[in-house]
């Protein structure tokens, strides 16, 4: 057997903090490593595999599309893309009417920033402290964490940051040059910080008054994760643009920027070679169909509630606070999360960090109650 770790270490730019496991297979909420060890997945590849790993519908759709047409230049129409767009807008908020399709989340954010500048003819943006929007220059400029930014500066000018859920501080940053405000409905990377309805409603009103575009980043919260198809449904507001990616196509790389009618861009001003390619679109149709057929948002809601109630029956000395919305769960610890993550991995449970002290759980929404019980049992062993 080849030494996969050594090969990766030899040839891949070493930007990722690495777990000492080679994953080779997945099915629903289970993963397997190259020694045949089985894991319960509470990460879903960072909220990507919401419909489970290697979902049968997606596997079939990709296989059929691959045998038919893999690639198609965006200068041509394509049947699968048309059907994907129809499917996407059957579940999207009603005021969002058209999309720009991408291959990743950061590209969707990048498009939002470019479009906001083009439409408003203004250049400044407000984002939030602890917010995360991606790694390319525009999206990185909207991302708060110093360690992601420092060696790449200078970034795109005009970005400023307000504390999350603090309307006063945000409104102080607004001026005549503000083109857009970008917010996550729940901060994911930033530690599972849940957005307050009143805050978002005030921001929406401010945006209307000042001709500012409100960009809602649903890349992590989107597609049933928080107990609704999109987390914005909890907030009772409309976005001018909404970014999607991660779970949009059952694990196949894809992203989308959804736009309201305010967003009008001239032909030829933006584009992508692979964005909205037939394979991604086929996977996306299958993925959204699966969510609808299984009312996956209801499953996320019920399972999240179940998880919270079960975990709260125990006294966990290492836990400071539990934050949960649907199956988007943050366990704030009194100490660093890294040793806990490693201990859980040894016990066959895959989890994620969010910052240094938060244990982040984003399981596939199809996870069985039996697997949830096992995961809770192991969490209690490690956190008690
Ligand atoms: C993951 C993520 C992104 C970036 O998506 P990529 O596909 O990694 O570029 C942007 N915003 C949020 C909220 C995310 O969780």
């Amino acid at each position: 057997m080849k030494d996969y770790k050594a090969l990766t270490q030899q040839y891949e730019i070493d930007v990722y903090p690495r777990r000492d496991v080679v994953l080779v297979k997945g099915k629903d909420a289970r993963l397997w490593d190259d020694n045949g060890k089985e894991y319960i997945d509470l990460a879903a590849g960072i909220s990507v595999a919401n419909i489970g790993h290697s979902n049968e519908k997606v596997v079939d759709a990709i296989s059929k599309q691959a045998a038919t047409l893999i690639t198609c230049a965006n200068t041509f129409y394509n049947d699968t893309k048309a059907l994907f767009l129809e499917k996407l807008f059957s579940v999207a908020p009603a005021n969002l009417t058209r999309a720009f399709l991408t291959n990743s989340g950061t590209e969707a954010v990048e498009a939002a920033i470019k479009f906001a500048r083009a439409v408003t003819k203004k250049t400044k943006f407000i984002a939030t402290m602890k917010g995360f929007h991606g790694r390319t220059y525009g999206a990185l400029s909207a991302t708060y964490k110093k360690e992601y930014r420092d060696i790449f500066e200078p970034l795109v000018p005009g970005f400023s940051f307000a504390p999350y859920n603090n309307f006063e501080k945000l409104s102080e940053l607004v001026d005549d040059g503000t083109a857009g405000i970008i917010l996550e409905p729940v901060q994911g990377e930033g530690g599972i910080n849940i957005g307050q309805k009143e805050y978002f409603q005030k921001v929406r009103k401010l945006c209307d008054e000042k001709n500012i575009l409100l960009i809602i980043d649903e890349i992590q919260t989107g597609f049933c994760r928080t107990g609704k198809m999109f987390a914005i449904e909890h907030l009772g507001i409309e976005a001018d643009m909404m970014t999607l990616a991660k779970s949009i196509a059952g694990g196949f790389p894809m992203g989308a920027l959804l736009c309201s009618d305010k967003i009008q861009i001239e032909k030829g001003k933006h584009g992508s070679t692979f964005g909205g390619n037939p394979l991604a679109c086929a996977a996306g149709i299958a993925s959204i169909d699966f969510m609808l057929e299984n009312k996956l948002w209801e499953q996320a809601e019920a399972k999240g509630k179940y998880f919270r109630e079960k975990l709260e029956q125990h006294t966990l000395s290492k836990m400071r606070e539990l934050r949960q919305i649907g199956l988007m769960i943050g366990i704030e610890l009194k100490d660093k999360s890294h040793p806990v993550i490693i201990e859980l991995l040894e016990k066959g449970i895959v989890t994620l960090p969010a910052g240094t002290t938060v244990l982040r759980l984003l399981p596939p929404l199809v996870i069985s109650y039996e697997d949830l019980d096992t995961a809770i049992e192991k969490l209690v062993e490690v956190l008690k």
Side-chain angles (χ1 to χ4, degrees):
M1 198 162 80
K2 293 260 190 184
D3 187 339
Y4 304 119
K5 289 178 205 168
L7 282 170
T8 308
Q9 283 161 7
Q10 183 179 352
Y11 292 117
E12 190 178 29
I13 294 280
D14 196 22
V15 291
Y16 300 106
R18 217 67 92 156
R19 307 277 170 258
D20 194 25
V21 173
V22 180
L23 293 174
V24 295
K25 194 179 131 172
K27 188 70 202 153
D28 301 331
R30 302 274 180 96
L31 290 165
W32 287 268
D33 70 15
D34 59 344
N35 297 312
K37 181 176 167 183
E38 190 172 310
Y39 299 82
I40 293 173
D41 183 13
L42 302 185
I46 319 188
S47 201
V48 173
N50 287 11
I51 62 170
H53 291 283
S54 291
N55 179 289
E56 223 165 278
K57 262 181 142 7
V58 172
V59 172
D60 282 350
I62 291 177
S63 310
K64 286 206 186 84
Q65 187 63 50
T68 308
L69 183 68
I70 292 178
T71 195
C72 176
N74 276 312
T75 42
F76 288 90
Y77 294 101
N78 171 255
D79 54 347
T80 309
K81 180 160 79 175
L83 296 175
F84 170 72
L85 288 165
E86 183 184 39
K87 185 69 67 184
L88 180 61
F89 283 103
S90 78
V91 299
N95 75 304
L96 301 174
T97 52
R98 283 167 319 138
F100 177 77
L101 300 177
T102 69
N103 312 288
S104 67
T106 201
E107 288 169 80
V109 173
E110 215 62 33
I113 292 167
K114 288 179 73 176
F115 291 2
R117 275 198 180 192
V119 166
T120 64
K121 309 206 165 44
K122 299 187 279 188
T123 58
K124 291 187 190 171
F125 291 86
I126 301 168
T128 57
M129 292 170 178
K130 297 192 184 172
F132 181 85
H133 300 288
R135 306 283 204 153
T136 53
Y137 263 103
L140 182 62
S141 303
T143 292
Y144 185 67
K145 203 170 172 182
K146 186 170 156 286
E147 299 88 278
Y148 294 163
R149 301 163 58 97
D150 50 15
I151 65 168
F152 303 111
E153 286 178 342
L155 305 184
V156 179
F159 285 78
S160 59
F161 298 89
Y164 192 62
N165 276 333
N166 186 328
F167 177 73
E168 284 289 286
K169 288 270 164 51
L170 180 140
S171 60
E172 284 167 17
L173 296 175
V174 168
D175 67 24
D176 291 345
T178 309
I181 295 176
I182 181 163
L183 298 172
E184 295 160 87
V186 180
Q187 287 187 324
E189 286 278 327
I192 313 296
N193 305 311
I194 299 168
Q196 290 161 4
K197 190 170 178 176
E198 205 194 356
Y199 167 71
F200 276 82
Q201 295 194 338
K202 284 181 178 168
V203 174
R204 175 69 268 178
K205 196 157 163 280
L206 180 71
C207 287
D208 289 338
E209 286 163 9
K210 305 271 183 182
N211 184 30
I212 296 167
L213 295 171
L214 180 56
I215 303 161
I216 297 293
D217 184 345
E218 290 250 18
I219 291 169
Q220 196 161 140
T221 51
F223 296 103
C224 310
R225 171 63 55 195
T226 67
K228 302 275 188 196
M229 182 58 79
F230 300 107
I232 196 171
E233 296 168 36
H234 295 288
L235 301 171
I237 59 157
E238 289 182 345
D240 298 309
M241 289 186 269
M242 187 163 110
T243 55
L244 298 171
K246 291 203 162 93
S247 60
I248 190 171
F252 199 88
M254 187 182 214
L257 173 69
L258 307 193
C259 298
S260 74
D261 291 339
K262 285 185 199 170
I263 311 303
Q264 304 290 340
I265 303 294
E266 280 169 56
K267 266 190 206 306
K269 295 291 183 188
H270 194 55
S272 167
T273 299
F274 289 128
N277 69 79
L279 271 190
C281 288
I285 294 169
S287 181
I288 296 170
D289 272 341
F290 182 89
M291 291 172 197
L292 292 170
E293 282 161 18
N294 294 279
K295 293 197 165 62
L296 212 57
W297 58 93
E298 285 181 8
Q299 292 195 38
E301 170 71 26
K303 289 169 186 175
K305 195 161 168 267
Y306 177 84
F307 178 91
R308 170 185 277 274
E309 282 169 4
K310 276 223 123 176
L311 198 72
E312 281 179 342
Q313 286 167 13
H314 302 272
T315 313
L316 302 173
S317 69
K318 291 187 186 168
M319 182 170 91
R320 190 186 298 281
E321 190 184 36
L322 176 63
R323 296 189 285 273
Q324 170 265 334
I325 179 166
L327 275 177
M328 191 164 191
I329 300 162
I331 302 177
E332 172 112 40
L333 304 177
K334 292 175 184 161
D335 223 321
K336 291 210 162 77
S337 62
H338 185 76
V340 168
I341 289 166
I342 301 306
E343 210 180 322
L344 283 166
L345 198 57
E346 280 159 10
K347 290 177 184 282
I349 309 290
V350 177
T351 60
L352 288 165
T356 48
T357 60
V358 178
L359 186 65
R360 179 170 39 153
L361 311 179
L362 305 164
L365 309 178
V366 296
I367 192 169
S368 67
Y369 282 93
E370 199 187 346
D371 279 1
L372 267 183
D373 284 342
T374 308
I376 292 164
E377 190 185 303
K378 305 289 179 197
L379 277 163
V380 170
E381 280 173 28
V382 172
L383 299 177
K384 70 168 186 269

